[in-house]
Amino acid sequence: MEQKKPHSREEQVGSGSANAHKGEQVNTGHGPVGGGQGNSGSGQKGQRGLLSSLMGGSSSGSSSGGSPKGGLPIKINLKTILVLVVAVIVIVLLLKMCGGGCDMPDLPDPPINNGEDFGGETTPSFEDIPSDSTLDTSVSSLARAKYVTPVGGGNDTWTIMVYMCGTDLESKYKMATMDLQEMLNANLSDKVRIVVTTGGCKKWQNNVISSSVNQIWELKDDGLVPKEENWGTSAMTDPNHLTDFIKYCATYYPADRNMLIFWDHGGGSVTGYGYDEKNTSSSSMTLTKIDSALKNAKVQTSNGTEVVKFDIIGFDACLMATLETGLVCEPYADYLLASEETEPGTGWYYTNWLTKLSQNTSMPSIELGKIIVDDFISSSCASERNAQVTLSIVDLAEMKGTVPSAFNDFSTSTNAMIKADNYAQIATARAGARQFAKSSKINQVDFIDFANRVNTTESKSLVKALLGCVKYNRSTMSNCYGISIYFPYEDTKSMNSAVASYKAIGIDSEYTKCIQSFASLEVGGQVSAAASQVSPSALSGGGDILGSLLGGVTGGSSSGSSTSPIGSLLGSFMGGSSGSSASAGNGLDVSTIAGLLSGFSGRSMPNGYDWVDTELVADHAENIAVEFVDPSHIAATEKDGKKVMTLTDAEWALIQTVELNVFVKDGNGYIDLGYDNTFELNGNDLSVTYNGTWLTIDGNVIAYYLESDTEGKDGKWTTVGRVPCKLNGELVNLQIVFVEGKDPIITGAYPMYEDLDVEAKGLIQVKAGDTIQPLCDYYNLDGSYSATYTLGSSFKISASPVIENLKLTNSELKATYRLTDIYGNHFWLPVD
């Protein structure tokens, strides 16, 4: 069978031409835009070694709503009601005409307070919602008993607790205000009570909610009623504040059934939930803190003091549909409702499901979950036809009974494979699995997709167990099955936090061992690549060479001197990211590299890397040395009159991605145009003849950075990339999606954040007529980062943007290819 090789996206080359030139300097506030969101380390430092090759040196680089205050109710008169009815009829007709997926006109919501328009969000129709998933109502015999038993007959009472940390989602975009309006638009039963706490926002975009103190509100048919107008100034990411809110709701609003909704940004398994823009030093609420908050939320009942239990714990936040989140929530809830991917800014659509629940308060939780999921998908696609969204409801009672054993078996067997020299198989499975928020390098993948790719008896059993727990899942993305997990790969910077968190929340220790083994060998592989830059004489000349290399790979200080290649070629990652790099270095033999790696045995690791299994690395020294792309092979040769780079079958088996990296020399320095997975590979020969084209939007050159490339079950690929720019003056990344066989599309934009632990909720909709100003990083002639500049002129985006490659008219273009191996090492082809 032919060895599977890196994938190149389809390149659409237009007939025109374009010119790349820098304009004005831009203060981004967080370093180079090419290094990821707010990550200056891999931008400024990551190109310097490479740029030395542009000047004739060897190739190298580094990897890496408002509500009434003071008791004022909402007043909706007859005229408003008639306007609303007419508006709804118009929307329904429009959606039927458009098939439910077209862009909707902006229609005003009913006024919330004295004529103030509290919302402004389009209201979608939910008639005949197409479903690409089937609700699974089965229950495994191994599932624990549900905590909550419905009363039945439509007699159940509900308390919906909404923990709303407004943050910049509200202060900039009015998203919380709009969602509150959606809740108020519902036809609520007196059996459904909604209690909301607000805070964490510098400026609420309405004339009601306080921006200085936290508050508690009850939502009623006739408006928002303040219950606590001054509920202190605690950070919304303080677990004690969450505990107090749950206890408040359970005490003053006792009900047969409870639901807790976390509203804000989300960061997934390692980072957790929330960002309070008024208390930035409080960081996020990690899963450990969430566990503590839920555990301490005890109230007095007829049976004594008990922990509050929930039908559903939901996250109207990004990236929280993880196994780790589920295991944390399981002792307190029967179901988890969350998204694997980042959520659009519109988030959940509240009106419809609250109305449906009010009509039948005894409906099963999974049926309620299905309505929420369908509403979310429908409203997201109505707001943005190209929305990339996921949402699932997971049965935590079934997870408790079926997953632990299968999870343990999978972790044990996978760890055994890694230790038995099958690292490459696991790395290939990990690289191919659907990944989420890749630009932030949170290392979260769809667990079902990943386990399926591992392809062992144990992984197949785990897939079956996980699929049984995901009772309903919908997604507009491929390979999203409803539950994800942290598995390190792009870098290992979060491993220390993950290991500590796993220990605190009780994640199966076998899984911790598994990812420790994998990440340890990854570190070993990165050190072996770094060693290729050290001359043989330096290796044998005494001193702690391994310690120097370790300092670089783990982001510590380096003892390499200016006379050592490691100091000049890898100075970038020696002080920065954990990703390693390599170039056309010294071509060290297997025994030399293995001898170096054997030095891991018994040595101490840099701070924060005590999780590394040094004995494992030492034991696998020879195998790591063999599974290594010799950087001296990263060079162009002549073959049949063409310039190619040729690797062996064994070496290509280690390469995960190939990316074209282009710079424009303008006399004073270099414009970085980014990375694109467009290349020509014939057999083992990579063509290194550059066609002189680059990606454009409506004829305007952009800097583009590949984020992910995923093969679906049907064999078709989906490629996602980002474009740093200003959108109507705001610093963002445009998201471009290439689906094989279709025209590329802009799915939206997400803000650039500085030092934000969690992932930004929501893609900003990009509309015809919006102003786009592309940005680019600029490097001095000596290879050092200069600044970020505008790229070309600003332009108004068209209704159907044309995304294609055009011939660049610049006189001097520098192109190279970056290859990334199974250890995350980057190799750049030398530039002529």
Short mmCIF file of all heavy atoms in Angstrom, two decimals, residues 436-474:
data_model
loop_
_atom_site.label_atom_id
_atom_site.label_comp_id
_atom_site.label_asym_id
_atom_site.label_seq_id
_atom_site.Cartn_x
_atom_site.Cartn_y
_atom_site.Cartn_z
N PHE A 436 -9.69 21.51 17.52
CA PHE A 436 -10.48 22.71 17.76
C PHE A 436 -9.61 23.86 18.23
O PHE A 436 -8.65 23.65 18.97
CB PHE A 436 -11.57 22.40 18.79
CG PHE A 436 -12.46 21.26 18.39
CD1 PHE A 436 -12.29 20.01 18.97
CD2 PHE A 436 -13.42 21.42 17.40
CE1 PHE A 436 -13.08 18.94 18.58
CE2 PHE A 436 -14.22 20.35 17.01
CZ PHE A 436 -14.05 19.11 17.60
N ALA A 437 -9.97 25.07 17.77
CA ALA A 437 -9.24 26.30 18.14
C ALA A 437 -7.74 26.11 17.98
O ALA A 437 -6.95 26.41 18.88
CB ALA A 437 -9.58 26.72 19.56
N LYS A 438 -7.34 25.61 16.83
CA LYS A 438 -5.93 25.28 16.63
C LYS A 438 -5.02 26.49 16.74
O LYS A 438 -3.88 26.37 17.20
CB LYS A 438 -5.73 24.61 15.27
CG LYS A 438 -4.32 24.11 15.06
CD LYS A 438 -4.15 23.31 13.78
CE LYS A 438 -2.72 22.81 13.65
NZ LYS A 438 -2.52 22.02 12.42
N SER A 439 -5.51 27.66 16.33
CA SER A 439 -4.66 28.85 16.39
C SER A 439 -4.21 29.17 17.81
O SER A 439 -3.18 29.79 18.02
CB SER A 439 -5.38 30.06 15.79
OG SER A 439 -6.53 30.38 16.54
N SER A 440 -5.01 28.74 18.79
CA SER A 440 -4.66 28.98 20.19
C SER A 440 -3.82 27.86 20.78
O SER A 440 -3.38 27.94 21.92
CB SER A 440 -5.93 29.16 21.03
OG SER A 440 -6.66 30.27 20.59
N LYS A 441 -3.63 26.80 20.02
CA LYS A 441 -2.81 25.67 20.46
C LYS A 441 -3.27 25.12 21.82
O LYS A 441 -2.45 24.86 22.70
CB LYS A 441 -1.34 26.07 20.51
CG LYS A 441 -0.75 26.41 19.14
CD LYS A 441 0.73 26.75 19.24
CE LYS A 441 1.35 26.91 17.86
NZ LYS A 441 0.76 28.02 17.09
N ILE A 442 -4.59 24.94 21.97
CA ILE A 442 -5.09 24.37 23.21
C ILE A 442 -5.03 22.85 23.19
O ILE A 442 -5.30 22.20 24.19
CB ILE A 442 -6.53 24.82 23.51
CG1 ILE A 442 -7.50 24.26 22.45
CG2 ILE A 442 -6.62 26.33 23.60
CD1 ILE A 442 -8.94 24.43 22.84
N ASN A 443 -4.68 22.27 22.04
CA ASN A 443 -4.48 20.83 21.92
C ASN A 443 -5.71 20.01 22.30
O ASN A 443 -5.61 19.01 23.01
CB ASN A 443 -3.28 20.39 22.78
CG ASN A 443 -1.95 20.73 22.13
OD1 ASN A 443 -1.66 20.27 21.03
ND2 ASN A 443 -1.17 21.57 22.79
N GLN A 444 -6.86 20.41 21.79
CA GLN A 444 -8.10 19.70 22.05
C GLN A 444 -8.60 19.07 20.75
O GLN A 444 -8.72 19.75 19.74
CB GLN A 444 -9.15 20.67 22.61
CG GLN A 444 -9.92 20.11 23.78
CD GLN A 444 -10.57 21.17 24.61
OE1 GLN A 444 -10.01 21.59 25.62
NE2 GLN A 444 -11.74 21.61 24.22
N VAL A 445 -8.89 17.78 20.79
CA VAL A 445 -9.34 17.07 19.59
C VAL A 445 -10.62 16.30 19.88
O VAL A 445 -10.92 15.97 21.04
CB VAL A 445 -8.28 16.07 19.09
CG1 VAL A 445 -7.06 16.78 18.55
CG2 VAL A 445 -7.88 15.09 20.18
N ASP A 446 -11.38 16.02 18.82
CA ASP A 446 -12.56 15.18 18.97
C ASP A 446 -12.09 13.80 19.42
O ASP A 446 -11.31 13.13 18.72
CB ASP A 446 -13.32 15.09 17.65
CG ASP A 446 -14.62 14.34 17.80
OD1 ASP A 446 -14.59 13.08 17.82
OD2 ASP A 446 -15.67 14.98 17.90
N PHE A 447 -12.55 13.38 20.59
CA PHE A 447 -12.03 12.15 21.18
C PHE A 447 -12.46 10.92 20.38
O PHE A 447 -11.70 9.95 20.24
CB PHE A 447 -12.51 12.03 22.63
CG PHE A 447 -11.68 11.08 23.47
CD1 PHE A 447 -10.50 10.53 23.00
CD2 PHE A 447 -12.11 10.73 24.74
CE1 PHE A 447 -9.74 9.65 23.78
CE2 PHE A 447 -11.37 9.87 25.53
CZ PHE A 447 -10.18 9.32 25.05
N ILE A 448 -13.67 10.94 19.85
CA ILE A 448 -14.16 9.80 19.09
C ILE A 448 -13.38 9.67 17.79
O ILE A 448 -12.96 8.56 17.39
CB ILE A 448 -15.67 9.94 18.83
CG1 ILE A 448 -16.43 9.84 20.17
CG2 ILE A 448 -16.17 8.88 17.85
CD1 ILE A 448 -17.91 10.16 20.08
N ASP A 449 -13.15 10.78 17.12
CA ASP A 449 -12.36 10.76 15.88
C ASP A 449 -10.94 10.27 16.14
O ASP A 449 -10.41 9.43 15.42
CB ASP A 449 -12.34 12.16 15.28
CG ASP A 449 -11.73 12.20 13.88
OD1 ASP A 449 -11.79 11.18 13.17
OD2 ASP A 449 -11.20 13.26 13.49
N PHE A 450 -10.33 10.79 17.20
CA PHE A 450 -8.97 10.39 17.54
C PHE A 450 -8.88 8.90 17.89
O PHE A 450 -8.05 8.16 17.36
CB PHE A 450 -8.46 11.24 18.70
CG PHE A 450 -7.15 10.79 19.29
CD1 PHE A 450 -6.03 10.60 18.49
CD2 PHE A 450 -7.03 10.56 20.65
CE1 PHE A 450 -4.82 10.19 19.04
CE2 PHE A 450 -5.83 10.15 21.21
CZ PHE A 450 -4.72 9.96 20.40
N ALA A 451 -9.77 8.45 18.78
CA ALA A 451 -9.74 7.05 19.20
C ALA A 451 -9.98 6.12 18.02
O ALA A 451 -9.35 5.05 17.89
CB ALA A 451 -10.78 6.80 20.29
N ASN A 452 -10.87 6.53 17.12
CA ASN A 452 -11.14 5.71 15.95
C ASN A 452 -9.91 5.57 15.07
O ASN A 452 -9.64 4.50 14.49
CB ASN A 452 -12.29 6.32 15.15
CG ASN A 452 -12.83 5.39 14.09
OD1 ASN A 452 -13.24 4.26 14.38
ND2 ASN A 452 -12.84 5.84 12.85
N ARG A 453 -9.11 6.64 14.97
CA ARG A 453 -7.90 6.61 14.15
C ARG A 453 -6.79 5.79 14.81
O ARG A 453 -5.92 5.26 14.12
CB ARG A 453 -7.41 8.04 13.88
CG ARG A 453 -8.33 8.84 12.97
CD ARG A 453 -7.93 10.31 12.91
NE ARG A 453 -8.89 11.11 12.19
CZ ARG A 453 -8.84 11.38 10.89
NH1 ARG A 453 -7.83 10.92 10.16
NH2 ARG A 453 -9.76 12.12 10.31
N VAL A 454 -6.81 5.70 16.14
CA VAL A 454 -5.81 4.84 16.82
C VAL A 454 -6.01 3.39 16.39
O VAL A 454 -5.06 2.62 16.24
CB VAL A 454 -5.93 5.00 18.34
CG1 VAL A 454 -5.07 3.98 19.06
CG2 VAL A 454 -5.51 6.41 18.75
N ASN A 455 -7.28 3.01 16.19
CA ASN A 455 -7.62 1.75 15.53
C ASN A 455 -7.10 0.50 16.24
O ASN A 455 -6.43 -0.33 15.66
CB ASN A 455 -7.12 1.77 14.07
CG ASN A 455 -7.81 0.72 13.22
OD1 ASN A 455 -8.95 0.34 13.49
ND2 ASN A 455 -7.12 0.25 12.19
N THR A 456 -7.43 0.40 17.52
CA THR A 456 -7.13 -0.81 18.28
C THR A 456 -8.44 -1.35 18.83
O THR A 456 -9.48 -0.69 18.79
CB THR A 456 -6.18 -0.51 19.44
OG1 THR A 456 -6.81 0.43 20.33
CG2 THR A 456 -4.86 0.05 18.95
N THR A 457 -8.40 -2.56 19.36
CA THR A 457 -9.59 -3.14 19.98
C THR A 457 -10.10 -2.24 21.10
O THR A 457 -11.30 -1.99 21.23
CB THR A 457 -9.28 -4.54 20.53
OG1 THR A 457 -8.85 -5.38 19.45
CG2 THR A 457 -10.49 -5.15 21.19
N GLU A 458 -9.18 -1.76 21.90
CA GLU A 458 -9.55 -0.91 23.05
C GLU A 458 -10.10 0.44 22.58
O GLU A 458 -11.05 0.97 23.17
CB GLU A 458 -8.34 -0.68 23.95
CG GLU A 458 -7.85 -1.92 24.66
CD GLU A 458 -6.94 -2.79 23.80
OE1 GLU A 458 -6.64 -2.39 22.63
OE2 GLU A 458 -6.52 -3.87 24.27
N SER A 459 -9.52 1.01 21.53
CA SER A 459 -10.01 2.31 21.05
C SER A 459 -11.39 2.18 20.43
O SER A 459 -12.24 3.07 20.57
CB SER A 459 -9.03 2.91 20.04
OG SER A 459 -9.03 2.21 18.82
N LYS A 460 -11.65 1.06 19.76
CA LYS A 460 -12.98 0.84 19.18
C LYS A 460 -14.04 0.68 20.27
O LYS A 460 -15.17 1.16 20.14
CB LYS A 460 -12.96 -0.39 18.29
CG LYS A 460 -12.02 -0.30 17.08
CD LYS A 460 -12.50 0.73 16.08
CE LYS A 460 -11.62 0.72 14.83
NZ LYS A 460 -12.03 1.75 13.85
N SER A 461 -13.67 0.03 21.36
CA SER A 461 -14.61 -0.12 22.49
C SER A 461 -14.90 1.23 23.12
O SER A 461 -16.04 1.52 23.50
CB SER A 461 -14.02 -1.07 23.54
OG SER A 461 -13.89 -2.38 23.01
N LEU A 462 -13.88 2.08 23.20
CA LEU A 462 -14.08 3.42 23.75
C LEU A 462 -14.97 4.24 22.84
O LEU A 462 -15.86 4.97 23.31
CB LEU A 462 -12.73 4.12 23.94
CG LEU A 462 -12.81 5.56 24.46
CD1 LEU A 462 -13.48 5.62 25.82
CD2 LEU A 462 -11.42 6.19 24.51
N VAL A 463 -14.77 4.13 21.53
CA VAL A 463 -15.61 4.85 20.58
C VAL A 463 -17.08 4.47 20.78
O VAL A 463 -17.96 5.33 20.81
CB VAL A 463 -15.17 4.54 19.13
CG1 VAL A 463 -16.23 5.00 18.13
CG2 VAL A 463 -13.85 5.21 18.82
N LYS A 464 -17.33 3.18 20.95
CA LYS A 464 -18.70 2.71 21.15
C LYS A 464 -19.30 3.30 22.44
O LYS A 464 -20.45 3.74 22.46
CB LYS A 464 -18.72 1.18 21.20
CG LYS A 464 -20.11 0.58 21.35
CD LYS A 464 -20.06 -0.95 21.36
CE LYS A 464 -21.46 -1.54 21.52
NZ LYS A 464 -21.41 -3.03 21.53
N ALA A 465 -18.51 3.32 23.50
CA ALA A 465 -18.99 3.85 24.78
C ALA A 465 -19.27 5.35 24.68
O ALA A 465 -20.29 5.83 25.16
CB ALA A 465 -17.98 3.57 25.88
N LEU A 466 -18.38 6.08 24.05
CA LEU A 466 -18.55 7.53 23.92
C LEU A 466 -19.75 7.87 23.04
O LEU A 466 -20.53 8.78 23.36
CB LEU A 466 -17.28 8.16 23.36
CG LEU A 466 -16.05 8.15 24.27
CD1 LEU A 466 -14.82 8.64 23.52
CD2 LEU A 466 -16.28 9.00 25.52
N LEU A 467 -19.90 7.15 21.94
CA LEU A 467 -21.04 7.41 21.06
C LEU A 467 -22.36 7.13 21.78
O LEU A 467 -23.36 7.81 21.54
CB LEU A 467 -20.94 6.53 19.80
CG LEU A 467 -19.91 6.97 18.75
CD1 LEU A 467 -19.79 5.90 17.65
CD2 LEU A 467 -20.28 8.31 18.15
N GLY A 468 -22.35 6.15 22.67
CA GLY A 468 -23.55 5.86 23.44
C GLY A 468 -23.93 6.96 24.40
O GLY A 468 -25.12 7.15 24.72
N CYS A 469 -22.93 7.72 24.87
CA CYS A 469 -23.19 8.82 25.82
C CYS A 469 -23.67 10.08 25.12
O CYS A 469 -24.40 10.87 25.71
CB CYS A 469 -21.92 9.14 26.59
SG CYS A 469 -21.32 7.79 27.62
N VAL A 470 -23.23 10.29 23.89
CA VAL A 470 -23.63 11.48 23.14
C VAL A 470 -25.02 11.23 22.57
O VAL A 470 -25.18 10.56 21.56
CB VAL A 470 -22.64 11.82 22.01
CG1 VAL A 470 -23.09 13.07 21.27
CG2 VAL A 470 -21.23 12.02 22.58
N LYS A 471 -26.04 11.75 23.25
CA LYS A 471 -27.42 11.44 22.89
C LYS A 471 -27.91 12.25 21.68
O LYS A 471 -28.82 11.82 20.98
CB LYS A 471 -28.34 11.68 24.08
CG LYS A 471 -28.06 10.73 25.25
CD LYS A 471 -28.12 9.27 24.81
CE LYS A 471 -27.84 8.31 25.94
NZ LYS A 471 -27.81 6.90 25.47
N TYR A 472 -27.33 13.40 21.45
CA TYR A 472 -27.70 14.20 20.29
C TYR A 472 -26.56 15.15 19.98
O TYR A 472 -26.02 15.81 20.87
CB TYR A 472 -28.98 14.98 20.56
CG TYR A 472 -29.59 15.60 19.31
CD1 TYR A 472 -30.14 14.81 18.31
CD2 TYR A 472 -29.64 16.99 19.16
CE1 TYR A 472 -30.71 15.37 17.17
CE2 TYR A 472 -30.22 17.57 18.03
CZ TYR A 472 -30.76 16.75 17.05
OH TYR A 472 -31.32 17.31 15.93
N ASN A 473 -26.20 15.20 18.71
CA ASN A 473 -25.05 16.01 18.31
C ASN A 473 -25.29 16.52 16.89
O ASN A 473 -25.65 15.76 16.00
CB ASN A 473 -23.77 15.17 18.34
CG ASN A 473 -22.60 15.89 17.70
OD1 ASN A 473 -22.24 16.98 18.11
ND2 ASN A 473 -22.00 15.26 16.68
N ARG A 474 -25.11 17.82 16.72
CA ARG A 474 -25.18 18.39 15.37
C ARG A 474 -23.99 19.29 15.13
O ARG A 474 -23.50 19.96 16.04
CB ARG A 474 -26.48 19.17 15.16
CG ARG A 474 -27.71 18.28 15.07
CD ARG A 474 -28.92 19.07 14.62
NE ARG A 474 -28.72 19.65 13.30
CZ ARG A 474 -29.58 20.52 12.74
NH1 ARG A 474 -30.64 20.91 13.42
NH2 ARG A 474 -29.35 21.00 11.54
#
